[in-house]
Each structure stands twice: as structure tokens, then as C-alpha cells.
Amino acid sequence: MLTQRQGLVVWLHSLKHAKSLRRFGNVHYVSKKMKYVVLYCNQEDIESVMEKINSYSYVKRVDPSFKPFIKSVFENSRPDKAKEYDYKMGF
């Protein structure tokens, strides 16, 4: 059974502590230029993890990802006529 995952964007003052965030979830990306870390954790634990991470002094702020709540099925999408023609021709 797969668990639902949700991303967190953790903005840091310094990247020195980016490695210590691995205990809260899977670190997916670390931006050296903009000083943020993207990590994924279980969706049930998202509130407690945000509170714990936000309490550290090296963290500016924590933003949750809203991707699991966005509808990804589009209703009025029309297929491109040129591509449809190419598929029928067998290109």
C-alpha cells in the first residue's frame, strides 16, 4: 500500500544545516543559490513536521506544496488538429 506524500519547501538562512533535514523525510532538491530545500514526507504527519522544522533557528519559513490538492484532469482541453492528422497518417 502506497502512502500519500506531500512536499515541503524549507527556506534556510544557511545551507550548512540542509543535511540535518533528512531525518524528517526524503530530501529531493537543495538550491544553493536561493537557499531552500524541497523534502517529501507523509501527508498525515505534515503539520507536526512543519511545526518541528519551523522551530529551528536556521529556518526562515516552511511552505507546504499544494500539488496533491490541485485537480489535474482538464475538462475543456481540445486536441491539436495537426497532431491528430499526423497520428492518422502514421508519422
Coordinates of all heavy atoms in Angstrom, one line a residue:
M1 N 0.8 -1.2 0.0 CA 0.0 0.0 0.0 C 0.9 1.2 0.0 O 1.8 1.4 0.8 CB -0.9 0.0 1.2 CG -1.9 1.1 1.3 SD -3.0 0.9 2.6 CE -2.6 2.2 3.7
L2 N 0.6 2.1 -0.9 CA 1.4 3.4 -1.0 C 0.8 4.4 -0.1 O -0.4 4.6 0.0 CB 1.4 3.9 -2.4 CG 2.0 3.0 -3.5 CD1 1.8 3.6 -4.9 CD2 3.5 2.9 -3.2
T3 N 1.7 5.2 0.6 CA 1.2 6.3 1.4 C 1.2 7.5 0.6 O 2.0 7.7 -0.3 CB 2.1 6.4 2.7 OG1 3.4 6.7 2.2 CG2 2.1 5.2 3.5
Q4 N 0.3 8.5 1.0 CA 0.3 9.8 0.3 C 1.4 10.6 0.8 O 1.7 10.7 2.0 CB -1.1 10.5 0.6 CG -2.3 9.8 0.0 CD -2.3 9.9 -1.5 OE1 -1.7 10.7 -2.1 NE2 -3.0 9.0 -2.1
R5 N 2.1 11.2 -0.1 CA 3.3 12.1 0.2 C 3.0 13.5 -0.2 O 2.2 13.8 -1.1 CB 4.5 11.6 -0.6 CG 4.8 10.1 -0.5 CD 5.5 9.8 0.8 NE 6.9 10.1 0.8 CZ 7.7 10.1 1.8 NH1 7.2 9.8 3.0 NH2 8.9 10.4 1.7
Q6 N 3.6 14.4 0.5 CA 3.4 15.8 0.2 C 4.8 16.5 0.4 O 5.6 16.2 1.2 CB 2.4 16.5 1.1 CG 2.1 17.9 0.8 CD 0.9 18.4 1.6 OE1 0.3 17.7 2.4 NE2 0.6 19.7 1.4
G7 N 5.0 17.5 -0.5 CA 6.3 18.2 -0.5 C 6.3 19.4 0.5 O 5.2 20.0 0.7
L8 N 7.4 19.7 1.0 CA 7.6 20.9 1.8 C 8.8 21.7 1.3 O 9.8 21.1 0.9 CB 8.0 20.5 3.3 CG 6.9 20.0 4.2 CD1 7.4 19.6 5.5 CD2 5.8 21.0 4.4
V9 N 8.7 23.0 1.2 CA 9.8 23.8 0.8 C 10.3 24.5 2.1 O 9.5 25.3 2.7 CB 9.4 24.9 -0.2 CG1 10.5 25.7 -0.6 CG2 8.8 24.2 -1.5
V10 N 11.5 24.3 2.5 CA 12.1 24.8 3.7 C 13.1 25.9 3.3 O 14.1 25.6 2.7 CB 12.7 23.7 4.5 CG1 13.3 24.3 5.8 CG2 11.8 22.6 4.8
W11 N 12.8 27.1 3.6 CA 13.8 28.2 3.3 C 14.7 28.4 4.5 O 14.3 28.5 5.6 CB 13.0 29.5 3.1 CG 12.0 29.5 2.0 CD1 10.7 29.0 2.0 CD2 12.3 29.8 0.6 NE1 10.2 29.1 0.7 CE2 11.2 29.6 -0.1 CE3 13.5 30.3 0.0 CZ2 11.1 29.8 -1.5 CZ3 13.4 30.5 -1.4 CH2 12.3 30.3 -2.1
L12 N 16.0 28.4 4.2 CA 17.1 28.4 5.2 C 17.9 29.7 5.2 O 18.0 30.4 4.2 CB 18.0 27.2 5.0 CG 17.4 25.9 4.9 CD1 18.4 24.9 4.4 CD2 16.9 25.5 6.3
H13 N 18.5 30.0 6.3 CA 19.4 31.2 6.4 C 20.8 30.7 5.9 O 21.4 31.5 5.2 CB 19.6 31.6 7.9 CG 18.4 32.3 8.4 ND1 18.0 33.6 8.0 CD2 17.5 31.9 9.3 CE1 16.9 33.9 8.7 NE2 16.6 32.9 9.5
S14 N 21.2 29.5 6.1 CA 22.4 29.0 5.7 C 22.2 27.5 5.3 O 21.5 26.8 5.9 CB 23.5 29.0 6.8 OG 24.6 28.4 6.4
L15 N 23.0 27.1 4.2 CA 22.8 25.7 3.8 C 23.6 24.7 4.6 O 23.6 23.5 4.3 CB 23.3 25.6 2.3 CG 22.3 26.2 1.3 CD1 22.9 26.1 -0.1 CD2 21.0 25.5 1.3
K16 N 24.3 25.2 5.6 CA 25.1 24.3 6.5 C 24.2 23.2 7.2 O 24.7 22.1 7.4 CB 25.8 25.2 7.5 CG 26.7 24.3 8.4 CD 27.6 25.1 9.4 CE 27.3 26.3 9.9 NZ 28.2 26.8 11.0
H17 N 23.0 23.5 7.4 CA 22.1 22.6 8.1 C 21.2 21.8 7.2 O 20.3 21.2 7.7 CB 21.3 23.4 9.2 CG 22.1 24.2 10.1 ND1 22.8 23.6 11.1 CD2 22.4 25.5 10.2 CE1 23.5 24.5 11.8 NE2 23.3 25.7 11.2
A18 N 21.4 21.9 5.9 CA 20.5 21.3 5.0 C 20.5 19.7 5.2 O 19.5 19.1 5.0 CB 20.8 21.6 3.6
K19 N 21.6 19.2 5.5 CA 21.8 17.8 5.7 C 21.0 17.2 6.9 O 20.5 16.1 6.9 CB 23.2 17.4 5.8 CG 23.6 16.0 5.5 CD 25.0 15.7 5.7 CE 25.7 15.6 4.4 NZ 27.1 15.1 4.5
S20 N 20.8 18.1 7.9 CA 20.1 17.6 9.1 C 18.6 17.5 8.8 O 17.9 16.9 9.7 CB 20.3 18.6 10.2 OG 19.7 19.8 9.9
L21 N 18.1 18.0 7.7 CA 16.6 17.9 7.4 C 16.3 16.5 6.9 O 15.1 16.2 6.7 CB 16.2 18.9 6.4 CG 16.3 20.4 6.9 CD1 16.0 21.3 5.7 CD2 15.3 20.6 8.0
R22 N 17.2 15.6 6.6 CA 17.0 14.3 6.1 C 16.2 13.4 7.1 O 15.5 12.5 6.7 CB 18.3 13.6 5.7 CG 18.9 14.1 4.5 CD 20.0 13.3 4.0 NE 21.2 13.4 4.9 CZ 22.3 12.7 4.8 NH1 22.4 11.8 3.9 NH2 23.3 13.0 5.6
R23 N 16.2 13.7 8.4 CA 15.5 12.9 9.3 C 14.0 13.1 9.3 O 13.2 12.4 9.9 CB 16.1 13.1 10.7 CG 15.9 14.4 11.3 CD 16.5 14.5 12.6 NE 16.5 15.9 13.1 CZ 16.3 16.2 14.4 NH1 16.2 15.3 15.3 NH2 16.4 17.5 14.7
F24 N 13.5 14.2 8.7 CA 12.1 14.5 8.6 C 11.5 13.9 7.3 O 10.2 13.8 7.3 CB 11.9 16.0 8.6 CG 12.3 16.7 9.9 CD1 13.4 17.4 9.9 CD2 11.6 16.5 11.0 CE1 13.9 18.0 11.1 CE2 12.0 17.1 12.2 CZ 13.1 17.8 12.2
G25 N 12.2 13.5 6.3 CA 11.7 13.0 5.1 C 12.8 12.8 4.1 O 14.0 12.9 4.4
N26 N 12.3 12.6 2.8 CA 13.3 12.5 1.7 C 13.6 13.8 1.1 O 12.7 14.5 0.7 CB 12.7 11.6 0.6 CG 12.4 10.2 1.1 OD1 13.0 9.7 2.1 ND2 11.5 9.5 0.4
V27 N 14.9 14.2 1.2 CA 15.3 15.5 0.6 C 15.4 15.2 -0.9 O 16.2 14.4 -1.4 CB 16.7 15.9 1.2 CG1 17.2 17.1 0.4 CG2 16.6 16.2 2.6
H28 N 14.6 16.0 -1.6 CA 14.5 15.8 -3.1 C 15.5 16.8 -3.8 O 16.1 16.4 -4.8 CB 13.1 16.1 -3.5 CG 12.9 15.9 -5.0 ND1 12.9 14.7 -5.6 CD2 12.6 16.8 -6.0 CE1 12.7 14.8 -6.9 NE2 12.5 16.1 -7.2
Y29 N 15.6 18.0 -3.3 CA 16.4 19.1 -4.0 C 16.9 20.1 -3.0 O 16.2 20.4 -2.1 CB 15.5 19.7 -5.1 CG 16.2 20.8 -5.9 CD1 17.1 20.5 -6.8 CD2 16.0 22.2 -5.7 CE1 17.8 21.4 -7.6 CE2 16.6 23.1 -6.4 CZ 17.5 22.7 -7.3 OH 18.2 23.7 -8.1
V30 N 18.1 20.5 -3.3 CA 18.7 21.6 -2.5 C 19.2 22.7 -3.4 O 20.0 22.4 -4.3 CB 19.9 21.1 -1.6 CG1 20.5 22.2 -0.9 CG2 19.5 20.0 -0.7
S31 N 18.7 23.9 -3.3 CA 19.1 25.0 -4.1 C 20.1 25.8 -3.4 O 19.9 26.4 -2.3 CB 17.9 25.9 -4.4 OG 18.3 27.1 -5.0
K32 N 21.3 25.8 -3.9 CA 22.4 26.6 -3.3 C 22.3 28.1 -3.5 O 22.7 28.8 -2.6 CB 23.8 26.1 -3.9 CG 24.1 24.7 -3.5 CD 25.4 24.2 -4.1 CE 25.6 22.8 -3.7 NZ 26.8 22.3 -4.4
K33 N 21.7 28.5 -4.6 CA 21.6 29.9 -4.9 C 20.5 30.6 -4.1 O 20.8 31.6 -3.5 CB 21.3 30.1 -6.4 CG 21.3 31.5 -6.8 CD 21.1 31.6 -8.3 CE 21.0 33.0 -8.8 NZ 20.7 33.2 -10.2
M34 N 19.4 29.9 -4.0 CA 18.2 30.6 -3.3 C 18.1 30.1 -1.9 O 17.2 30.5 -1.2 CB 17.0 30.3 -4.1 CG 17.0 31.0 -5.5 SD 15.5 30.9 -6.4 CE 14.4 31.8 -5.5
K35 N 18.9 29.1 -1.5 CA 18.9 28.6 -0.1 C 17.6 28.0 0.3 O 17.0 28.5 1.3 CB 19.4 29.6 0.9 CG 20.8 30.1 0.6 CD 21.2 31.2 1.6 CE 22.6 31.7 1.3 NZ 22.9 32.8 2.1
Y36 N 17.1 27.0 -0.4 CA 15.9 26.3 0.1 C 16.1 24.8 -0.2 O 16.9 24.4 -1.0 CB 14.7 26.8 -0.6 CG 14.5 26.5 -2.1 CD1 13.9 25.3 -2.5 CD2 14.9 27.4 -3.0 CE1 13.8 25.1 -3.8 CE2 14.8 27.2 -4.4 CZ 14.2 26.0 -4.8 OH 14.0 25.7 -6.1
V37 N 15.3 24.0 0.5 CA 15.4 22.5 0.4 C 13.9 22.1 0.2 O 13.0 22.5 0.8 CB 15.9 21.9 1.7 CG1 15.8 20.4 1.7 CG2 17.3 22.4 2.0
V38 N 13.8 21.1 -0.8 CA 12.5 20.5 -1.1 C 12.6 19.1 -0.5 O 13.5 18.3 -0.8 CB 12.2 20.4 -2.6 CG1 10.9 19.7 -2.8 CG2 12.1 21.8 -3.2
L39 N 11.7 18.8 0.4 CA 11.6 17.5 1.0 C 10.2 16.9 1.0 O 9.3 17.7 1.1 CB 12.3 17.4 2.4 CG 11.6 18.1 3.6 CD1 10.8 17.1 4.3 CD2 12.7 18.6 4.5
Y40 N 10.1 15.6 0.9 CA 8.8 14.9 0.9 C 8.7 14.1 2.2 O 9.6 13.4 2.6 CB 8.7 14.0 -0.3 CG 8.5 14.8 -1.6 CD1 9.6 15.2 -2.4 CD2 7.2 15.1 -2.0 CE1 9.3 15.9 -3.5 CE2 7.0 15.8 -3.2 CZ 8.1 16.2 -3.9 OH 7.9 16.9 -5.1
C41 N 7.4 14.2 2.8 CA 7.1 13.4 3.9 C 5.7 12.9 3.9 O 5.0 13.3 2.9 CB 7.4 14.2 5.2 SG 6.4 15.7 5.3
N42 N 5.3 12.1 4.8 CA 3.9 11.5 4.8 C 2.9 12.7 5.0 O 3.1 13.6 5.8 CB 3.7 10.5 5.8 CG 4.5 9.2 5.5 OD1 4.9 9.0 4.4 ND2 4.8 8.5 6.6
Q43 N 1.8 12.5 4.3 CA 0.8 13.6 4.3 C 0.1 13.7 5.7 O -0.3 14.8 6.1 CB -0.3 13.4 3.2 CG -1.0 14.6 2.9 CD -1.8 14.4 1.6 OE1 -2.0 13.3 1.1 NE2 -2.3 15.5 1.0
E44 N 0.0 12.6 6.4 CA -0.6 12.6 7.7 C 0.2 13.4 8.7 O -0.3 14.0 9.7 CB -0.9 11.2 8.3 CG -1.7 10.3 7.4 CD -0.8 9.3 6.7 OE1 0.3 8.9 7.3 OE2 -1.2 8.8 5.7
D45 N 1.5 13.4 8.6 CA 2.4 14.0 9.5 C 2.9 15.4 9.1 O 3.7 16.0 9.8 CB 3.7 13.1 9.6 CG 3.4 11.7 10.0 OD1 2.3 11.4 10.6 OD2 4.2 10.8 9.6
I46 N 2.2 16.0 8.1 CA 2.7 17.2 7.6 C 2.7 18.4 8.6 O 3.6 19.2 8.6 CB 2.0 17.6 6.2 CG1 2.8 18.5 5.4 CG2 0.6 18.1 6.5 CD1 3.9 17.9 4.6
E47 N 1.6 18.5 9.4 CA 1.5 19.6 10.3 C 2.6 19.5 11.4 O 3.2 20.5 11.8 CB 0.1 19.6 10.9 CG -1.0 19.9 9.9 CD -0.9 21.3 9.4 OE1 -0.4 22.2 10.1 OE2 -1.2 21.5 8.2
S48 N 2.8 18.3 12.0 CA 3.8 18.2 13.1 C 5.2 18.4 12.5 O 6.0 19.0 13.2 CB 3.6 16.8 13.7 OG 3.9 15.8 12.8
V49 N 5.4 17.9 11.3 CA 6.8 18.1 10.7 C 7.0 19.6 10.5 O 8.1 20.1 10.7 CB 6.9 17.3 9.5 CG1 8.2 17.6 8.7 CG2 6.9 15.8 9.8
M50 N 6.0 20.3 10.0 CA 6.1 21.8 9.7 C 6.4 22.5 11.0 O 7.3 23.4 11.0 CB 4.9 22.3 9.1 CG 4.8 22.0 7.6 SD 3.3 22.6 6.8 CE 3.5 24.4 7.1
E51 N 5.8 22.2 12.1 CA 6.0 22.8 13.4 C 7.4 22.6 13.9 O 8.1 23.5 14.4 CB 5.0 22.3 14.4 CG 3.6 22.9 14.2 CD 2.6 22.3 15.2 OE1 3.0 21.8 16.2 OE2 1.4 22.5 15.0
K52 N 7.9 21.3 13.8 CA 9.2 21.0 14.3 C 10.3 21.7 13.5 O 11.2 22.2 14.0 CB 9.4 19.4 14.2 CG 8.7 18.6 15.2 CD 9.0 17.2 15.0 CE 8.1 16.3 15.9 NZ 8.2 14.9 15.6
I53 N 10.1 21.7 12.2 CA 11.1 22.3 11.3 C 11.1 23.8 11.5 O 12.2 24.5 11.6 CB 10.9 21.9 9.8 CG1 11.2 20.5 9.6 CG2 11.8 22.8 8.9 CD1 10.8 20.0 8.2
N54 N 10.0 24.4 11.7 CA 9.9 25.9 11.8 C 10.4 26.3 13.2 O 10.8 27.5 13.3 CB 8.4 26.3 11.7 CG 8.2 27.5 10.9 OD1 9.2 28.1 10.5 ND2 7.0 27.9 10.7
S55 N 10.6 25.4 14.1 CA 11.1 25.8 15.5 C 12.6 26.0 15.5 O 13.1 26.6 16.4 CB 10.7 24.8 16.5 OG 11.3 23.6 16.3
Y56 N 13.3 25.5 14.4 CA 14.7 25.7 14.4 C 15.1 27.1 14.0 O 14.5 27.8 13.3 CB 15.3 24.7 13.4 CG 15.2 23.2 13.8 CD1 14.6 22.3 13.0 CD2 15.8 22.8 15.0 CE1 14.5 21.0 13.4 CE2 15.7 21.5 15.4 CZ 15.1 20.6 14.6 OH 15.0 19.3 15.0
S57 N 16.3 27.5 14.6 CA 16.7 28.9 14.4 C 17.3 29.1 13.0 O 17.3 30.3 12.5 CB 17.8 29.2 15.4 OG 18.9 28.4 15.2
Y58 N 17.7 28.1 12.3 CA 18.3 28.3 10.9 C 17.3 28.3 9.8 O 17.6 28.4 8.7 CB 19.4 27.2 10.7 CG 19.0 25.8 10.9 CD1 18.3 25.1 9.8 CD2 19.2 25.1 12.0 CE1 18.0 23.8 10.0 CE2 18.8 23.8 12.2 CZ 18.2 23.1 11.2 OH 17.8 21.8 11.3
V59 N 16.0 28.1 10.2 CA 14.9 28.1 9.2 C 14.2 29.4 9.1 O 13.8 30.0 10.2 CB 13.9 27.0 9.6 CG1 12.7 27.0 8.6 CG2 14.5 25.6 9.5
K60 N 14.0 30.0 7.9 CA 13.3 31.2 7.7 C 11.8 30.9 7.8 O 11.1 31.5 8.5 CB 13.6 31.9 6.4 CG 15.0 32.5 6.3 CD 15.1 33.2 5.0 CE 16.6 33.7 4.8 NZ 16.8 34.3 3.5
R61 N 11.4 30.0 6.9 CA 9.9 29.6 6.8 C 9.8 28.3 6.1 O 10.7 27.8 5.5 CB 9.1 30.7 6.2 CG 9.2 30.8 4.7 CD 8.2 31.8 4.1 NE 8.1 31.6 2.7 CZ 8.7 32.4 1.8 NH1 9.4 33.5 2.2 NH2 8.6 32.2 0.5
V62 N 8.6 27.7 6.3 CA 8.3 26.4 5.7 C 7.0 26.6 4.9 O 6.0 27.1 5.5 CB 8.1 25.3 6.8 CG1 7.8 24.0 6.1 CG2 9.4 25.2 7.6
D63 N 7.0 26.2 3.6 CA 5.8 26.3 2.8 C 5.4 24.9 2.4 O 6.3 24.1 1.8 CB 6.1 27.1 1.5 CG 6.4 28.6 1.9 OD1 5.9 29.0 2.9 OD2 7.2 29.2 1.1
P64 N 4.1 24.5 2.5 CA 3.7 23.2 2.0 C 3.4 23.3 0.5 O 3.1 24.3 0.0 CB 2.4 22.9 2.8 CG 1.9 24.3 3.1 CD 3.1 25.2 3.3
S65 N 3.5 22.1 -0.2 CA 3.2 22.0 -1.6 C 1.7 21.7 -1.7 O 1.1 20.9 -0.9 CB 4.0 20.9 -2.2 OG 3.5 20.7 -3.5
F66 N 1.0 22.4 -2.6 CA -0.4 22.2 -2.8 C -0.7 21.3 -4.0 O -1.8 21.2 -4.4 CB -1.1 23.5 -3.0 CG -1.0 24.4 -1.8 CD1 -0.2 25.5 -1.8 CD2 -1.7 24.1 -0.7 CE1 -0.1 26.4 -0.7 CE2 -1.6 24.9 0.5 CZ -0.8 26.1 0.4
K67 N 0.3 20.6 -4.5 CA 0.1 19.7 -5.6 C -0.9 18.6 -5.4 O -1.7 18.3 -6.3 CB 1.4 19.1 -6.1 CG 1.3 18.4 -7.4 CD 2.6 17.9 -7.9 CE 2.3 17.2 -9.2 NZ 3.3 16.2 -9.5
P68 N -1.0 17.9 -4.2 CA -2.0 16.9 -4.1 C -3.4 17.4 -4.1 O -4.3 16.6 -4.3 CB -1.6 16.3 -2.7 CG -0.3 16.7 -2.3 CD -0.1 18.0 -3.1
F69 N -3.6 18.7 -3.9 CA -5.0 19.2 -3.8 C -5.4 19.9 -5.1 O -6.6 20.3 -5.2 CB -5.1 20.2 -2.7 CG -4.5 19.6 -1.4 CD1 -3.4 20.1 -0.8 CD2 -5.2 18.6 -0.8 CE1 -2.9 19.6 0.4 CE2 -4.7 18.0 0.4 CZ -3.6 18.6 1.0
I70 N -4.5 19.9 -6.1 CA -4.9 20.6 -7.4 C -5.4 19.5 -8.3 O -4.9 18.5 -8.5 CB -3.6 21.3 -8.0 CG1 -3.2 22.4 -7.1 CG2 -3.9 21.8 -9.4 CD1 -1.9 23.0 -7.5
K71 N -6.5 19.9 -9.0 CA -7.2 18.9 -9.9 C -6.3 18.9 -11.2 O -6.0 19.9 -11.8 CB -8.6 19.4 -10.2 CG -9.4 18.4 -11.1 CD -10.8 18.9 -11.2 CE -10.9 20.0 -12.2 NZ -12.3 20.3 -12.6
S72 N -5.9 17.7 -11.6 CA -5.1 17.6 -12.8 C -5.8 17.0 -14.0 O -5.2 16.7 -15.0 CB -3.9 16.7 -12.4 OG -4.3 15.4 -12.1
V73 N -7.1 16.9 -13.9 CA -7.9 16.4 -15.1 C -8.6 17.6 -15.6 O -9.3 18.3 -14.9 CB -8.9 15.4 -14.6 CG1 -9.8 14.9 -15.8 CG2 -8.2 14.2 -14.0
F74 N -8.3 17.9 -16.9 CA -8.8 19.1 -17.5 C -10.1 18.8 -18.3 O -10.1 17.8 -19.1 CB -7.8 19.8 -18.4 CG -6.5 20.1 -17.6 CD1 -5.4 19.3 -17.8 CD2 -6.5 21.1 -16.7 CE1 -4.2 19.6 -17.1 CE2 -5.4 21.4 -16.0 CZ -4.2 20.6 -16.2
E75 N -11.1 19.6 -18.3 CA -12.3 19.3 -18.9 C -12.4 19.8 -20.4 O -12.9 19.1 -21.2 CB -13.5 19.9 -18.1 CG -13.6 19.3 -16.7 CD -14.6 20.0 -15.9 OE1 -15.3 21.0 -16.4 OE2 -14.8 19.6 -14.7
N76 N -12.0 21.0 -20.6 CA -12.2 21.6 -22.0 C -11.0 21.6 -22.8 O -10.7 22.5 -23.6 CB -12.8 23.0 -21.8 CG -14.2 23.0 -21.3 OD1 -14.9 22.1 -21.5 ND2 -14.6 24.1 -20.7
S77 N -10.2 20.6 -22.7 CA -8.9 20.5 -23.5 C -9.3 19.9 -24.9 O -9.8 18.8 -24.9 CB -7.9 19.8 -22.8 OG -8.3 18.4 -22.6
R78 N -8.9 20.6 -25.9 CA -9.2 20.2 -27.3 C -7.9 19.6 -27.8 O -6.8 20.3 -27.7 CB -9.7 21.3 -28.2 CG -11.0 21.8 -27.8 CD -11.5 22.8 -28.8 NE -12.2 23.9 -28.1 CZ -12.4 25.1 -28.5 NH1 -11.9 25.4 -29.7 NH2 -13.0 26.0 -27.8
P79 N -7.9 18.5 -28.5 CA -6.7 18.0 -29.2 C -6.3 18.9 -30.3 O -7.1 19.5 -31.0 CB -7.0 16.6 -29.6 CG -8.5 16.6 -29.7 CD -9.0 17.6 -28.7
D80 N -5.0 19.0 -30.6 CA -4.4 19.7 -31.7 C -4.8 19.0 -33.0 O -4.5 17.8 -33.1 CB -2.9 19.9 -31.5 CG -2.3 20.9 -32.5 OD1 -3.1 21.7 -33.1 OD2 -1.1 20.9 -32.6
K81 N -5.3 19.8 -33.9 CA -5.7 19.1 -35.2 C -4.5 18.7 -36.0 O -4.6 17.6 -36.7 CB -6.5 20.1 -36.1 CG -7.9 20.5 -35.5 CD -8.8 19.3 -35.5 CE -10.2 19.7 -35.0 NZ -11.1 18.5 -34.9
A82 N -3.4 19.4 -36.0 CA -2.2 19.0 -36.7 C -1.7 17.7 -36.2 O -1.3 16.8 -37.0 CB -1.2 20.1 -36.7
K83 N -1.6 17.5 -34.9 CA -1.1 16.3 -34.3 C -2.1 15.1 -34.6 O -1.6 14.0 -34.8 CB -0.9 16.5 -32.8 CG 0.2 17.3 -32.4 CD 0.4 17.4 -30.9 CE 1.5 18.3 -30.5 NZ 1.6 18.4 -29.1
E84 N -3.4 15.4 -34.5 CA -4.3 14.4 -34.8 C -4.2 13.8 -36.2 O -4.3 12.7 -36.5 CB -5.7 14.9 -34.6 CG -6.8 13.9 -34.5 CD -8.2 14.5 -34.1 OE1 -8.2 15.2 -33.1 OE2 -9.1 14.4 -34.9
Y85 N -3.9 14.7 -37.2 CA -3.7 14.4 -38.6 C -2.4 13.5 -38.7 O -2.4 12.5 -39.4 CB -3.6 15.6 -39.4 CG -3.4 15.3 -40.9 CD1 -4.4 14.8 -41.7 CD2 -2.1 15.5 -41.5 CE1 -4.2 14.5 -43.0 CE2 -1.9 15.3 -42.8 CZ -2.9 14.8 -43.6 OH -2.8 14.5 -44.9
D86 N -1.4 13.9 -38.0 CA -0.1 13.1 -38.0 C -0.3 11.7 -37.5 O 0.3 10.8 -38.0 CB 1.0 13.9 -37.3 CG 1.5 15.1 -38.0 OD1 1.2 15.3 -39.2 OD2 2.1 16.0 -37.4
Y87 N -1.1 11.6 -36.5 CA -1.3 10.3 -35.9 C -2.0 9.3 -36.9 O -1.8 8.2 -36.9 CB -2.0 10.3 -34.6 CG -1.2 11.0 -33.4 CD1 -1.8 11.9 -32.6 CD2 0.1 10.6 -33.2 CE1 -1.1 12.4 -31.5 CE2 0.8 11.2 -32.2 CZ 0.3 12.1 -31.4 OH 1.0 12.6 -30.4
K88 N -3.0 9.9 -37.6 CA -3.7 9.1 -38.6 C -2.8 8.7 -39.8 O -3.0 7.6 -40.3 CB -4.9 9.9 -39.1 CG -6.0 10.1 -38.0 CD -7.2 10.8 -38.6 CE -8.2 11.1 -37.5 NZ -9.3 11.9 -37.9
M89 N -1.9 9.5 -40.1 CA -1.0 9.2 -41.3 C 0.0 8.2 -40.9 O 0.6 7.6 -41.8 CB -0.3 10.5 -41.8 CG -1.3 11.5 -42.4 SD -2.0 10.9 -43.9 CE -0.6 10.8 -44.9
G90 N 0.4 8.1 -39.6 CA 1.4 7.1 -39.2 C 2.8 7.6 -39.2 O 3.7 6.9 -39.3
F91 N 2.9 8.9 -39.0 CA 4.3 9.5 -38.9 C 4.9 9.2 -37.6 O 4.8 9.1 -36.6 CB 4.3 11.0 -39.1 CG 4.0 11.5 -40.5 CD1 2.9 12.2 -40.8 CD2 4.9 11.1 -41.5 CE1 2.7 12.6 -42.1 CE2 4.7 11.5 -42.8 CZ 3.6 12.3 -43.1

